[in-house]
Amino acid sequence: QVQLVESGGGLVQPGGSLRLSCAASGFTLRNYDMSWYRQAPGKERELVATITSAGIGTNYPDSVKGRFTISRDNAKRTVYLQMNSLKAEETAVYYCKTYRYREVWGRGTLVTVSS
């Protein structure tokens, strides 16, 4: 069964950092590009980072560039999102996603940025 499971969310103060993890199972992670998305309350889901299958190429929207870093450990079948200098407006559920014949999404992990 193809599955993505996010973890690492929680409460963090503005300016703080968190590292999210996405554990993959049921498919060969190293063959697939991976992405992180987020969805804030009342807003549409938005892309925050992508990484190519070998981990050589990454891409970020301007809103997180320089603060977020996506990485992967294919041997551990895990993709990471390091988030620094977090802002209150980045409170959201964070999801990882891949495309394997169809879109595959995890259930998400909640990140709350608040003092």
Side-chain angles (χ1 to χ4, degrees), residues 6-20:
E6 302 92 339
S7 61
L11 175 64
V12 62
Q13 292 187 343
S17 298
L18 275 179
R19 188 175 84 154
L20 307 182

Side-chain angles (χ1 to χ4, degrees), residues 2-4 27 34 96-106:
V2 175
Q3 194 172 16
L4 298 172
F27 66 103
M34 297 293 296
C96 62
K97 192 207 86 171
T98 192
Y99 187 89
R100 183 178 182 271
Y101 307 114
R102 61 174 178 82
E103 291 187 343
V104 179
W105 293 86

Side-chain angles (χ1 to χ4, degrees), residues 1-114:
Q1 181 181 359
V2 175
Q3 194 172 16
L4 298 172
V5 179
E6 302 92 339
S7 61
L11 175 64
V12 62
Q13 292 187 343
S17 298
L18 275 179
R19 188 175 84 154
L20 307 182
S21 298
C22 172
S25 61
F27 66 103
T28 305
L29 179 66
R30 65 176 179 268
N31 292 340
Y32 296 90
D33 297 349
M34 297 293 296
S35 300
W36 283 96
Y37 286 73
R38 65 186 177 193
Q39 187 166 21
K43 295 189 176 181
E44 293 187 354
R45 196 169 294 190
E46 63 172 344
L47 176 67
V48 295
T50 61
I51 188 167
T52 57
S53 57
I56 296 173
T58 59
N59 194 36
Y60 308 90
D62 288 343
S63 59
V64 307
K65 197 173 293 183
R67 298 186 298 117
F68 287 17
T69 303
I70 188 171
S71 61
R72 63 195 296 159
D73 186 334
N74 287 334
K76 293 184 178 179
R77 307 178 74 169
T78 303
V79 180
Y80 304 98
L81 183 67
Q82 176 68 44
M83 306 184 295
N84 299 327
S85 302
L86 282 160
K87 306 174 183 179
E89 57 265 34
E90 294 180 310
T91 293
V93 178
Y94 285 72
Y95 301 88
C96 62
K97 192 207 86 171
T98 192
Y99 187 89
R100 183 178 182 271
Y101 307 114
R102 61 174 178 82
E103 291 187 343
V104 179
W105 293 86
R107 290 189 173 186
T109 185
L110 176 62
V111 173
T112 303
V113 185
S114 176

